Amino acid sequence: MKLDTDRIDDAVLALLLLGLHEGERAWKSFDWDALDRLHAKGLISDPAGKARSVVFTAQGKEKAQALLQSLFGAPD
């Protein structure tokens, strides 16, 4: 099956926000390829390394908040 990786990246970015801690850090418990693509897009810090979390860029956090609302927000 062919997958739309941009849509997957949007969902992963939004869900990363649910693991937010220490201000800008999020637990990196998602697919490594998706995390690498988000890093390449400038939305999170480099996921490679021993740290168990990544850091949102300002643009990444803003986009994650918008995506979380649009993809998973409940109607008023």
Side-chain angles (χ1 to χ4, degrees), residues 1 6 9 13-16 22 25 27 33 40-44 50-51 55 57 59-60 63 65 71-72 74-75:
M1 167 182 8
D6 286 330
D9 295 350
L13 185 65
L15 292 171
L16 275 170
E22 296 180 24
R25 292 193 161 280
W27 299 113
D33 290 336
K41 293 176 182 179
L43 301 171
I44 61 172
K50 292 183 180 185
V55 177
T57 64
Q59 175 191 6
K63 185 171 180 172
Q65 290 168 330
L71 294 172
F72 304 109

Side-chain angles (χ1 to χ4, degrees), residues 17-61:
L17 200 58
L18 298 177
L20 193 64
H21 62 96
E22 296 180 24
E24 308 301 322
R25 292 193 161 280
W27 299 113
K28 61 178 186 183
S29 56
F30 291 95
D31 175 72
W32 287 103
D33 290 336
L35 293 175
D36 286 339
R37 289 190 303 269
L38 291 173
H39 171 64
K41 293 176 182 179
L43 301 171
I44 61 172
S45 63
D46 191 348
K50 292 183 180 185
R52 293 183 179 176
S53 59
V54 291
V55 177
F56 280 101
T57 64
Q59 175 191 6
K61 188 173 181 184

